Amino acid sequence: MGKEAIFENLFNAIVGISEERVKKAANELVKGKIDPLEGIEKGLSKGMEVIGERFEKLEIYLPELIMAGDVFNSAMEILEPEILARGKSVAKKGTIVIGTAKGDIHEIGKDIVAMLLKTAGFEVHNIGKDVPTPTFLQEAEKAKADIIGVSALLTTTLLGQKNLIDLLRETGISLW
Ligand code: B12
């Protein structure tokens, strides 16, 4: 099967919220030695965009949103070892603390970013979701981090990013 057909199967499996189909397509991608990152970009994430649009239009509801997230994660369980195996051992580039802002439990994208940074040579401290602003600072100090990454998918939790910058300024830590 060609890679475009596999990307389409990944897309359709997310939109159709089918764990069985997503696993099948993810396994085909690995067997076909296709770049898993391309599969995430051109299949899984595109499918998630459609899920988000349908949710916004009230064509689907929260349970479907939750299930679509689980379907995405079952594909990631198959793709992640492949992504890590493809990563070349590179010199350490720095340390990053990454988490999702307080009030926000979206973590699929943040976990992908964390994994990609790891394969690119960063020491990554993934501190999870719904993280209070001061915890980012505490964890960054503990890890002696060079970078802090704050994921926020909700309009309301975007403020978590600004709050952290304000907190860093207050404590006198110099930013970039
Ligand atoms: C799956 C999903 C959920 C799942 C999350 C499951 C999980 N384990 O993460 C669940 C069901 C829990 C959920 C809940 C809710 N959700 Co939701 N959800 C989504 C959905 C469909 C997909 C998100 C996703 O995983 N995408 C796939 C990943 C790969 O993409 P990504 O997250 O964008 O990540 C990429 C980039 O953003 C970036 N990135 C992400 N983090 C970081 C961090 C750093 C440091 C960097 C550099 C880059 C980076 O890189 C990633 C890889 O490319 C989006 C729709 C959408 N189009 O985004 C809505 C969406 C984000 N949700 C939405 C809403 C409203 C909610 C709820 C409030 C619904 C409700 N009524 O309860 C709750 C909020 C719960 C909470 N307190 O957080 C809205 C937000 C609207 C807004 N403007 O605020 C959206 C946009 C849907 C919509 N169109 O209405 N959701």
Side-chain angles (χ1 to χ4, degrees):
M1 191 186 293
K3 64 178 188 176
E4 297 303 330
I6 293 178
F7 299 155
E8 204 177 321
N9 286 345
L10 288 169
F11 171 87
N12 286 330
I14 294 284
V15 175
I17 316 184
S18 167
E19 192 166 321
E20 194 190 321
R21 276 157 56 198
V22 94
K23 281 184 177 165
K24 190 162 175 261
N27 280 319
E28 271 161 3
L29 185 139
V30 171
K31 221 167 63 197
K33 305 206 179 315
I34 297 157
D35 183 357
L37 296 179
E38 225 183 319
I40 294 175
E41 190 194 333
K42 297 184 177 161
L44 300 174
S45 293
K46 283 219 154 66
M48 268 312 204
E49 278 169 34
V50 172
I51 290 286
E53 285 159 16
R54 290 193 176 167
F55 176 73
E56 211 168 353
K57 290 189 210 148
L58 301 178
E59 289 170 5
I60 57 168
Y61 298 96
L62 195 57
E64 282 101 330
L65 205 60
I66 296 172
M67 285 189 284
D70 290 346
V71 172
F72 197 112
N73 280 334
S74 11
M76 286 310 298
E77 275 171 28
I78 296 166
L79 300 184
E80 187 169 335
E82 185 63 20
I83 295 168
L84 294 175
R86 281 174 177 236
K88 300 173 197 81
S89 52
V90 284
K92 189 179 157 190
K93 295 210 177 74
T95 301
I96 175 161
V97 163
I98 187 167
T100 307
K102 177 79 192 152
D104 199 324
I105 61 166
H106 294 89
E107 60 178 349
I108 296 174
K110 179 259 299 169
D111 288 345
I112 291 178
V113 172
M115 179 185 56
L116 294 180
L117 286 166
K118 215 185 281 174
T119 60
F122 285 87
E123 180 184 320
V124 179
H125 297 254
N126 188 342
I127 58 173
K129 59 191 175 188
D130 192 17
V131 179
T133 304
T135 308
F136 279 97
L137 183 54
Q138 285 153 17
E139 293 295 325
E141 280 175 337
K142 222 195 291 171
K144 299 195 189 340
D146 307 293
I147 302 170
I148 305 178
V150 184
S151 185
L153 263 73
L154 300 172
T155 318
T156 46
T157 56
L158 277 177
L159 263 184
Q161 297 171 340
K162 181 186 179 298
N163 291 344
L164 179 65
I165 294 170
D166 290 346
L167 183 64
L168 290 169
R169 289 214 168 101
E170 271 168 34
T171 49
I173 293 171
S174 61
L175 304 172
W176 53 87

